[in-house]
Coordinates of all heavy atoms in Angstrom, one line a residue:
V1 N 173.8 57.2 158.1 CA 173.9 56.6 159.4 C 175.1 57.2 160.1 O 175.1 57.5 161.3 CB 174.0 55.1 159.3 CG1 174.2 54.5 160.7 CG2 172.8 54.5 158.7
A2 N 176.2 57.4 159.4 CA 177.5 58.0 160.0 C 177.2 59.4 160.5 O 177.7 59.8 161.6 CB 178.6 58.0 158.9
K3 N 176.3 60.1 159.8 CA 176.0 61.5 160.3 C 175.2 61.4 161.6 O 175.5 62.2 162.6 CB 175.1 62.2 159.3 CG 174.6 63.6 159.7 CD 175.8 64.6 159.8 CE 175.3 66.0 159.8 NZ 174.3 66.3 160.9
V4 N 174.3 60.5 161.7 CA 173.5 60.3 163.0 C 174.5 59.9 164.1 O 174.4 60.5 165.2 CB 172.5 59.2 162.8 CG1 171.8 58.8 164.1 CG2 171.4 59.6 161.8
V5 N 175.4 59.0 163.9 CA 176.4 58.6 164.9 C 177.3 59.7 165.3 O 177.5 60.0 166.5 CB 177.2 57.4 164.4 CG1 178.3 57.0 165.4 CG2 176.3 56.1 164.2
S6 N 177.8 60.4 164.3 CA 178.7 61.5 164.6 C 178.0 62.6 165.4 O 178.6 63.2 166.4 CB 179.2 62.2 163.3 OG 180.0 61.2 162.5
D7 N 176.8 63.0 165.1 CA 176.0 64.0 165.9 C 175.9 63.5 167.3 O 176.0 64.3 168.3 CB 174.7 64.2 165.3 CG 174.7 65.0 164.0 OD1 175.8 65.5 163.7 OD2 173.7 65.0 163.2
A8 N 175.6 62.2 167.5 CA 175.5 61.7 168.9 C 176.8 61.7 169.7 O 176.8 62.0 170.8 CB 174.9 60.3 168.8
V9 N 177.9 61.3 169.0 CA 179.2 61.4 169.6 C 179.5 62.8 170.1 O 180.0 63.0 171.2 CB 180.3 60.9 168.6 CG1 181.7 61.2 169.2 CG2 180.1 59.4 168.4
Y10 N 179.2 63.7 169.2 CA 179.6 65.1 169.5 C 178.7 65.6 170.7 O 179.2 66.3 171.6 CB 179.3 66.0 168.3 CG 179.9 67.4 168.4 CD1 181.2 67.7 168.1 CD2 179.1 68.5 168.9 CE1 181.7 69.0 168.3 CE2 179.6 69.7 169.1 CZ 180.9 70.0 168.8 OH 181.5 71.2 168.9
A11 N 177.4 65.3 170.6 CA 176.5 65.7 171.7 C 176.9 65.1 173.1 O 176.6 65.8 174.1 CB 175.1 65.4 171.4
A12 N 177.5 64.0 173.0 CA 178.0 63.3 174.3 C 179.3 63.8 174.8 O 179.8 63.3 175.8 CB 178.0 61.8 174.1
G13 N 179.9 64.8 174.0 CA 181.2 65.3 174.5 C 182.4 64.8 173.8 O 183.5 65.0 174.2
G14 N 182.2 63.9 172.7 CA 183.3 63.4 172.0 C 183.5 64.1 170.7 O 182.8 65.0 170.3
L15 N 184.6 63.8 170.0 CA 185.0 64.3 168.7 C 184.9 63.2 167.7 O 185.8 62.3 167.7 CB 186.4 64.9 168.7 CG 186.9 65.5 167.4 CD1 186.0 66.6 166.9 CD2 188.4 65.9 167.5
P16 N 183.9 63.2 166.9 CA 183.8 62.1 165.9 C 184.7 62.4 164.7 O 184.8 63.5 164.1 CB 182.3 62.2 165.4 CG 181.9 63.7 165.7 CD 182.7 64.1 166.8
L17 N 185.4 61.3 164.3 CA 186.4 61.5 163.2 C 186.1 60.3 162.2 O 186.4 59.1 162.6 CB 187.8 61.4 163.7 CG 188.2 62.6 164.6 CD1 189.5 62.3 165.3 CD2 188.4 63.9 163.7
E18 N 185.5 60.6 161.1 CA 185.1 59.5 160.2 C 186.2 59.0 159.4 O 187.0 59.8 158.8 CB 184.0 60.0 159.3 CG 183.4 58.9 158.4 CD 182.2 59.5 157.5 OE1 181.7 60.5 157.8 OE2 181.9 58.8 156.5
I19 N 186.4 57.6 159.3 CA 187.3 57.0 158.4 C 186.6 56.1 157.5 O 185.6 55.6 157.8 CB 188.5 56.3 159.2 CG1 187.9 55.2 160.0 CG2 189.2 57.3 160.1 CD1 189.0 54.3 160.7
R20 N 187.2 55.8 156.3 CA 186.6 54.9 155.4 C 187.5 53.7 155.1 O 188.7 53.7 155.2 CB 186.4 55.6 154.0 CG 185.6 56.9 154.1 CD 184.2 56.6 154.4 NE 183.3 57.8 154.4 CZ 182.5 58.1 153.4 NH1 182.4 57.4 152.3 NH2 181.8 59.2 153.4
T21 N 186.8 52.5 154.9 CA 187.5 51.3 154.5 C 186.9 50.8 153.2 O 185.9 51.2 152.8 CB 187.4 50.2 155.6 OG1 186.1 49.7 155.6 CG2 187.8 50.8 157.0
T22 N 187.5 49.7 152.7 CA 186.9 49.0 151.6 C 185.5 48.4 152.1 O 185.3 48.2 153.3 CB 187.8 47.9 151.1 OG1 187.2 47.3 149.9 CG2 188.0 46.8 152.1
A23 N 184.6 48.1 151.1 CA 183.3 47.6 151.5 C 182.9 46.5 150.5 O 182.3 46.7 149.5 CB 182.3 48.8 151.3
P24 N 183.3 45.2 150.9 CA 183.0 44.1 150.0 C 181.5 43.7 150.1 O 180.9 43.6 151.2 CB 183.9 43.0 150.6 CG 184.1 43.4 152.1 CD 184.1 44.8 152.1
S25 N 181.0 43.5 149.0 CA 179.6 43.0 148.9 C 179.6 41.6 148.2 O 180.2 41.4 147.1 CB 178.7 43.9 148.0 OG 177.5 43.3 147.5
D26 N 178.9 40.6 148.8 CA 178.9 39.3 148.3 C 178.3 39.2 146.9 O 178.5 38.2 146.2 CB 178.3 38.3 149.3 CG 179.3 37.8 150.3 OD1 180.2 38.5 150.7 OD2 179.2 36.6 150.7
F27 N 177.4 40.1 146.6 CA 176.7 40.1 145.3 C 177.4 41.0 144.3 O 176.9 41.0 143.1 CB 175.2 40.4 145.5 CG 174.5 39.3 146.1 CD1 173.9 39.4 147.3 CD2 174.4 38.0 145.5 CE1 173.2 38.4 147.9 CE2 173.7 37.0 146.1 CZ 173.1 37.1 147.3
V28 N 178.3 41.8 144.6 CA 179.0 42.7 143.7 C 180.5 42.5 143.6 O 181.0 42.3 142.5 CB 178.7 44.2 144.1 CG1 179.4 45.2 143.1 CG2 177.2 44.5 144.0
T29 N 181.1 42.5 144.8 CA 182.6 42.3 144.8 C 182.9 40.8 144.4 O 184.1 40.5 144.1 CB 183.2 42.6 146.2 OG1 182.6 43.8 146.7 CG2 184.7 42.7 146.1
S30 N 181.9 39.9 144.3 CA 182.1 38.6 143.9 C 182.3 38.4 142.4 O 182.7 37.3 141.9 CB 180.9 37.7 144.3 OG 179.7 38.2 143.7
A31 N 182.1 39.5 141.6 CA 182.2 39.4 140.2 C 183.6 39.1 139.7 O 183.8 38.4 138.7 CB 181.6 40.7 139.6
G32 N 184.6 39.7 140.3 CA 186.0 39.6 139.9 C 186.7 38.4 140.4 O 186.6 38.0 141.5
R33 N 187.3 37.7 139.5 CA 188.2 36.5 139.8 C 187.5 35.5 140.7 O 188.0 35.0 141.7 CB 189.5 37.0 140.6 CG 190.4 37.8 139.6 CD 191.7 38.1 140.3 NE 192.6 38.9 139.4 CZ 193.8 39.3 139.7 NH1 194.3 39.0 140.8 NH2 194.4 40.1 138.8
K34 N 186.2 35.2 140.2 CA 185.5 34.1 140.9 C 185.3 34.4 142.4 O 185.3 33.4 143.2 CB 186.1 32.8 140.7 CG 186.4 32.5 139.2 CD 185.2 32.4 138.3 CE 185.5 32.0 136.9 NZ 184.4 32.2 136.0
A35 N 185.1 35.6 142.8 CA 184.9 36.0 144.2 C 186.1 35.9 145.1 O 186.0 35.9 146.3 CB 183.7 35.2 144.8

């Protein structure tokens, strides 16, 4: 999805710069320390 968005930003005359953050999942990240 990020690739689709980046291509659209670029085509519209912008410079896409991807950044990453943590990604909590209620069914996976909940495993540690009782969620």
Side-chain angles (χ1 to χ4, degrees):
V1 177
K3 177 65 165 58
V4 170
V5 174
S6 294
D7 288 348
V9 167
Y10 192 87
L15 177 63
L17 296 164
E18 186 177 342
I19 64 173
R20 302 294 184 103
T21 72
T22 188
S25 162
D26 272 36
F27 287 116
V28 176
T29 316
S30 59
R33 295 190 181 178
K34 309 297 182 188

